[in-house]
Structures are given as structure tokens and as C-alpha cells.
DNA sequence: CGTGTATTTCTGTCTTTACTGAAACAACTG
DNA sequence: CAGTTGTTTCAGTAAAGACAGAAATACACG
């Protein structure tokens, strides 16, 4: 597949941002490609389009699947695995938030709980203990909050918070 | 400063998570240290406590200042710079969100706008153009939404969204 | 059950980033 | 204004991560 200029620009940009988003360039590029393509692609096609090693594509697709950002589909009469991602940006957002929370927040919540359950916490300064407690509570609240927010539709969320309905309207999907 | 076991555990954990949060280990460790200490520390003290090079501390403090997560304070009768961070976790959260948005979102919003303004967009597939547009709109909405959410107190936020007041109450600061 | 095709795993290389220690710089102090 | 203390910059090194290419594996089909 030959990318048209703007699509290429999008894919390359996504790749550059990948490292800031906690995934490597190739993973981000592949995701961008699947998203823009809007149809299942096989690994070979991805390899050629992006100009990276076939093995790299394989590994990256594995990682995308671990994020639930890509799934395998089969086309009739074709032995090869094909991959697709959701084209619903809100759906993608939810998956990314879930993935990041799992990688960036959950381990800390666990560690903080262990800190507070450890009898040695009694030896720490009162202020230190208090701040660790507060941090854990904050994390728990934020998790609850984000769960709640991801459950409801973004339009509802905007309305609830009294954010201008104008933007909200323009956002509503065509379907 | 000699760290007690739990405080050390906290600082080391924060450091390990740093890379997932988009800052390096030392930066994250220093921030954890300042947070737990709850009082201004000078660079030398940080160096000794963490066992890293003095220059590394200097660089990392610069980065923390770039995030607005640390500020210089002076103690009377002491020539040295001292550094402190907020001990208000909600305040810290807001600063971190602001910093991450600036690094992780804003460049993409700019790039997408450029894509859509480029006349070459006309040559792209209809679906591609639509998805790029949708993505930009989504990002703009999310920015508005997060601005809105960061403005109000977390307790209010919880209430607005109808999240159990129980957790919210336990969170309320002692002060 | 052998052959061709698709896919993954592995090993080494390259790139990037973090970090140290030394040197340069800046700012106070007597 | 020389000495002292504090801070930053810089060059080289070490560690981590990403990636390519080869080898190995799995799988479908006759």
C-alpha cells in the first residue's frame, strides 16, 4: 500500500509521538496505519508500507493486541492473518486509558498498599505516613472517577459538566 | 538525610515508575523525595540521600522546575538553593496533567490541524480525511473537558458525576 | 507426510537516553 | 579581589530499548 502524503504525515507523526505515549515508534505507526486504512491489513502489507522489518511488525502487532488496540481477522480465501483496529476514536481512547492505567497506575497502587500495610510504617514520620496514605486514596478516587467517566458517552459527560454543547454537537458521529 | 525503610521503598518505586510516566528515574526519585520530606532540601542533601551524581541532581531539578513540580526557596542564613514541591496531591496532579498534555497532546493537535489545512488533504480518501478530522475534534473536546475538570475541586467532580460520596469524604484533607 | 507459505523467536547491532566526573562558571564573603 | 562555596555545562561512558535479518516453528494443503 502506497500512502498518500497526508496519511504518511499522520502515520509518521503518530510514530514520533509514540515514545512519549509509552509505546515504540513502530507500534504507534502501525496503529495509525490501521486506523487510517479503516480495513484489515496483513503483516506483509504493513511491512512494505512502513518500510520496517517483517519481524518488527510481528512483535509490534503482538503489543498492539496486548493493548486490545488490534485484533486478528481472517478474509475468506486468504490464509494470512489480517489486522484491524477500531475506527471509533472514543473506543480507542477508552482502550488506551485502560492500558495506561494498568501500566502506569496499578503497580503504584499495589506498592502504596504494601507500604501502608507494612508494620515498619509505624517508624516513619507522621507527615510521611500521611502523605503516602493521601496519595493512595487519591489514586483510588481517580480510578473510580475514570471508570465512571469511561462508562458514559462523552456527550453526556460534557453536558453533565456544563461544557459548551456547541463543540459536543460538532463531535457527534455521522452514523 | 537517611531515609527510613518505607520512605526509601516509596522513593525507589517512584523512580522505577518514572520511565513509564515519561520522566527519568532520577527526576521521579527527587520528586518523591521532596514530596515525602515535606520541607525544602538542598541539592547536596538530595545527592547524598539518593546516591546519584551531583550534576544529575542539578539537571533533574531543572526538569522538575520545567514541570512546575519544584521551586527554589531560600532559607535565611544559607547561601544554597533549596527545593520544595507541593504536598497537595491534587495540586501535583494538576501540574502533571498540564505537563503531559503539553508534551503528549498539544504537538499532535498542531500536526493534525496542519494536515487538515494542507490542500493535499483533498487527494486523500474520504474515510481517511474524516478520521483525521474526528481525531482532532476529539482531542479538542478532551482538552476542554480536562480544563473544566481541573478547575473544580475533586469532591465537586465526584458529586457531579454521582460517584459514591463515601470515598470522597474520606479523601477530604485534614486541614 | 512432505512442501510451500505464514509467522514467531532469537541474536547481534544500532540508536537513544541516562548518568558520571571533571571542568567551567557564577555568586557570595571576608 | 582572592578565596570559598555553590551551580551548571560538557564530554565521555554505561545502560536500555528498538530494530534487522536469520533461524526456527507452525500451519495449511495436496
Amino acid at each position: 500500500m502506497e500512502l498518500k502524503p497526508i496519511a504518511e504525515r499522520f502515520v509518521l507523526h503518530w510514530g514520533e509521538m509514540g515514545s512519549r505515549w509509552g509505546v515504540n515508534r513502530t507500534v504507534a505507526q502501525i496503529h495509525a496505519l490501521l486506523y487510517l486504512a479503516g480495513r484489515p491489513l496483513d503483516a506483509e502489507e504493513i511491512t512494505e508500507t512502513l518500510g520496517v522489518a517483517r519481524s518488527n511488525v510481528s512483535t509490534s502487532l503482538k503489543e498492539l493486541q496486548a493493548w486490545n488496540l488490534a485484533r486478528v481477522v481472517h478474509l475468506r480465501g486468504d490464509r494470512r492473518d489480517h489486522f484491524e483496529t477500531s475506527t471509533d476514536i472514543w473506543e480507542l481512547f477508552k482502550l488506551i486509558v485502560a492500558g495506561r492505567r494498568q501500566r502506569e497506575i496499578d503497580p503504584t497502587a499495589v506498592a502504596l498498599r504494601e507500604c501502608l500495610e507494612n508494620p515498619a510504617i509505624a517508624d516513619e514520620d507522621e507527615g510521611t505516613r500521611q502523605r503516602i496514605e493521601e496519595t493512595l486514596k487519591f489514586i483510588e478516587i481517580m480510578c473510580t472517577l475514570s471508570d465512571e467517566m469511561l462508562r458514559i458517552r462523552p456527550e453526556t459527560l460534557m453536558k453533565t459538566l456544563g461544557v459548551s454543547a456547541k463543540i459536543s454537537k460538532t463531535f457527534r458521529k455521522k452514523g
Side-chain angles (χ1 to χ4, degrees), chain A residues 16 40 48 51 53 57 70 80 95 99 111 116 127 139 151-152 154 160 168 175:
Chain A
E16 278 163 25
E48 282 164 13
V57 170
R80 293 167 302 181
L95 290 169
L116 292 169
I139 288 175
R151 257 184 356 89
I152 61 186
T160 308
S168 175

Side-chain angles (χ1 to χ4, degrees), chain A residues 97-113:
Chain A
V97 170
R100 290 186 78 154
R101 166 150 151 212
Q102 195 181 323
R103 291 164 178 74
E104 301 179 11
I105 310 294
D106 292 356
T108 297
V110 170
L112 294 187
R113 265 179 221 116

Side-chain angles (χ1 to χ4, degrees), chain A residues 45-107:
Chain A
E45 206 170 355
I46 296 172
T47 301
E48 282 164 13
T49 309
L50 299 181
V52 296
R54 177 67 184 74
S55 57
N56 193 7
V57 170
S58 176
T59 311
S60 300
L61 282 168
K62 271 275 141 62
E63 191 171 339
L64 278 177
Q65 284 171 283
W67 281 82
N68 288 316
L69 283 174
R71 61 180 158 275
V72 181
V73 294
H74 285 104
L75 276 55
R76 44 175 265 120
D78 196 333
R79 285 173 53 188
R80 293 167 302 181
D81 285 353
H82 285 65
F83 300 86
E84 66 172 8
T85 190
S86 172
T87 53
D88 176 349
I89 188 79
W90 174 246
E91 172 78 16
L92 290 176
F93 177 74
K94 285 197 279 191
L95 290 169
I96 290 166
V97 170
R100 290 186 78 154
R101 166 150 151 212
Q102 195 181 323
R103 291 164 178 74
E104 301 179 11
I105 310 294
D106 292 356

